[in-house]
Amino acid sequence: RRENKRRAEKVEAAEPRNKLPSPASLLPTDPALYSGSFPFYGRPSELGCFSLDAQRQYHGDAQALRYYSPPPTNDQGPHFDLRDGYPDRYQPRDEEVQEGLDHLLRWLLDHRGKLEGGPGWLAGAIVTWRGHLTKLLTTPYEQQEGWQLAASRFQGTLYLSEVETPAARAQRLARPPLLRELMYMGYKFEQYMCADKPGSSPDPSGEVNTNVAFCSVLRSRLGNHRLLFSGEVDCTDPRAPSTQPPACYVELKTSKEMHRPGHWRSFYRHKLLKWWAQSFLLGVPNVVAGFRNPEGFVCSLKTFPTMEMFEYVRNDRDGWNPSVCMNFCAAFLSFAQNTVVQDDPRLVHLFSWEPGSPVTVSKHRDAPYAFLPTWYMEAMTQ
Ligand code: 0WD
Ligand code: CA
């Protein structure tokens, strides 16, 4: 490890100011390179939470947490119209606003004095969104979408914040109407399955506002990397065997109704990988899927326990392997730790990846890549 660090420093010294395209600054992503035994991953423990309201304002409490409230199982099953309310009762979040790590940093600022392990713990940790880690986990198997992660070291801590790639931005701006409606349908499903209070029933008559979010903040460890991350949680199950978060949390998903074994096979290979990575990281034990028919109705539900998802592809030559995902993520985190050596929040190492290529690094100063807000740096320096 020390050897890697020395190598990274040497590369930095030898290369011109902005780019480091030398072999030492590349990280390969081929699955075959990461199939060892499963690395250590600590059971994620919740440190706290926060909520974002209908105006996307931060609150340091659980006001946006909803309660899992599936339909009664005695009758013929659900008949949820996911297109109901579109577009008239839809308030989508403004995606032009790139929030970076801001909400998570606000939580961290409010709780930095109370972190278990003291201030030294944070100095040795990696801070990021769960969604960014999900993208790392699935990278060895991803064949369509690349990513960019900006990294800065500040007071020892390594911060990782995603940057929207030019391709992703172009796709978002040209998003076809059918895809917009499909996104709405995912949120509408949550509304059919969640109640605002424990024991009450869902109310699908209201608006769908995607500014609203409940986020859990957790700590864990992958190999020797301490992690502090946050992820959006759909709801908590008041009847879960364990009422202790994250074991009481439930992730909700929608997917196309499937009718042929080939459809299921492809679902296990692609979608279940993403569902597994996202929920495993946060310690969410169950994903509840609503299957929608071509008319946009959910008429069947299925619960997928996170820890059983791998079984669907264990004997599939073209399946995914949790060890590969976790080993690659650990390797990327080591790579980032060894590359971002200078403690300077104005300095950004941009890690870029496109399917079929290794991860590359470039170096930048200040705008537009620097992402730690002034209010955060000033408050942390006092
Ligand atoms: O500003 C950015 N570049 C991003 C911000 C990128 C990714 C996430 N975020 C923020 C969002 O504001 C959200 O509050 O992070 C929070 C969620 O973080 P996460 O849990 O780390 O993200 P992820 O696991 O990718 O997504 C969880 C859920 C999604 O559910 P599904 O079932 O579709 O995976 O968070 C929602 C979405 O419901 N979500 C978002 N909501 C608003 N804006 C976004 C987003 N950009 N991304 C995911
Ligand atoms: Ca969801």
Side-chain angles (χ1 to χ4, degrees):
R1 192 175 154 163
R2 195 171 298 145
E3 190 53 44
N4 277 342
K5 193 161 173 177
R6 215 175 295 141
R7 205 168 56 198
E9 279 163 353
K10 218 159 81 193
V11 168
E12 186 167 41
E15 294 290 336
R17 275 177 66 87
N18 261 320
K19 299 236 160 180
L20 327 162
S22 98
S25 64
L26 296 176
L27 180 73
T29 63
D30 320 48
L33 298 173
Y34 298 98
S35 64
S37 53
F38 197 84
F40 176 85
Y41 186 65
R43 189 152 45 94
S45 93
E46 186 175 77
L47 300 172
C49 66
F50 60 87
S51 295
L52 303 173
D53 66 19
Q55 285 76 43
R56 203 68 180 172
Q57 294 303 304
Y58 176 98
H59 300 268
D61 57 33
Q63 62 178 258
L65 177 60
R66 292 179 295 177
Y67 297 84
Y68 182 59
S69 176
T73 44
N74 46 17
D75 51 43
Q76 316 88 30
H79 194 69
F80 300 149
D81 181 1
L82 300 186
R83 298 165 70 191
D84 177 55
Y86 187 81
D88 36 293
R89 283 181 284 131
Y90 185 28
Q91 302 283 351
R93 186 185 80 97
D94 179 0
E95 291 175 280
E96 273 302 296
V97 182
Q98 302 284 319
E99 300 172 328
L101 299 182
D102 292 10
H103 300 304
L104 171 56
L105 298 179
R106 169 77 193 273
W107 182 93
L108 200 48
L109 201 52
D110 292 347
H111 296 85
R112 71 192 144 141
K114 300 159 244 166
L115 287 180
E116 210 181 304
W121 188 89
L122 183 58
I126 296 171
V127 171
T128 192
W129 284 110
R130 178 270 310 271
H132 302 358
L133 296 172
T134 305
K135 287 195 178 176
L136 290 172
L137 258 64
T138 58
T139 294
Y141 300 107
E142 177 62 41
Q143 292 182 347
Q144 306 198 341
E145 277 164 29
W147 48 252
Q148 290 191 314
L149 278 176
S152 289
R153 193 179 295 283
F154 175 53
Q155 296 180 345
T157 310
L158 185 68
Y159 295 86
L160 298 175
S161 179
E162 189 179 21
V163 175
E164 188 178 46
T165 64
R169 177 175 168 79
Q171 268 189 34
R172 169 167 65 78
L173 294 175
R175 193 177 289 147
L178 272 173
L179 203 57
R180 290 170 200 260
E181 187 168 11
L182 213 55
M183 285 177 66
Y184 169 81
M185 291 162 71
Y187 293 111
K188 187 69 189 174
F189 177 60
E190 296 175 7
Q191 201 186 47
Y192 280 111
M193 296 290 287
C194 298
D196 287 340
K197 295 190 187 73
S200 74
S201 296
D203 173 16
S205 72
E207 296 208 317
V208 169
N209 185 324
T210 58
N211 288 295
V212 181
F214 168 80
C215 294
S216 169
V217 183
L218 307 99
R219 64 180 266 182
S220 187
R221 180 161 67 84
L222 172 56
N224 47 23
H225 302 288
R226 294 176 197 164
L227 302 173
L228 189 152
F229 60 100
S230 174
E232 194 175 322
V233 169
D234 290 331
C235 57
T236 181
D237 182 358
R239 302 199 290 205
S242 167
T243 56
Q244 200 183 8
C248 52
Y249 291 152
V250 180
E251 172 66 33
L252 301 169
K253 296 286 185 198
T254 59
S255 198
K256 238 189 187 146
E257 227 172 47
M258 290 171 288
H259 300 283
R260 290 208 301 270
H263 296 157
W264 284 99
R265 194 45 46 222
S266 160
F267 165 83
Y268 300 146
R269 285 175 184 165
H270 304 289
K271 242 181 184 175
L272 221 44
L273 163 61
K274 299 204 169 169
W275 293 6
W276 170 80
Q278 184 187 42
S279 287
F280 177 74
L281 278 164
L282 215 145
V284 175
N286 290 296
V287 177
V288 176
F291 294 101
R292 55 180 153 73
N293 65 21
E295 290 73 46
F297 282 80
V298 163
C299 301
S300 66
L301 301 171
K302 185 173 164 65
T303 298
F304 293 91
T306 305
M307 297 312 270
E308 292 170 19
M309 292 179 181
F310 173 53
E311 301 309 322
Y312 291 96
V313 291
R314 191 189 280 277
N315 299 314
D316 184 346
R317 292 170 47 92
D318 296 316
W320 45 275
N321 185 325
S323 300
V324 169
C325 300
M326 298 303 279
N327 285 326
F328 171 75
C329 186
F332 173 82
L333 297 178
S334 299
F335 179 59
Q337 288 285 21
N338 293 329
T339 305
V340 186
V341 179
Q342 257 190 73
D343 201 297
D344 179 355
R346 296 172 53 188
L347 181 67
V348 171
H349 281 83
L350 185 66
F351 295 89
S352 304
W353 179 73
E354 285 301 327
S357 304
V359 178
T360 62
V361 198
S362 59
K363 221 171 137 179
H364 309 264
R365 186 166 283 282
D366 297 324
Y369 289 110
F371 60 88
L372 290 174
T374 313
W375 56 261
Y376 180 73
M377 296 187 290
E378 284 179 351
M380 291 291 278
T381 308
Q382 276 158 23

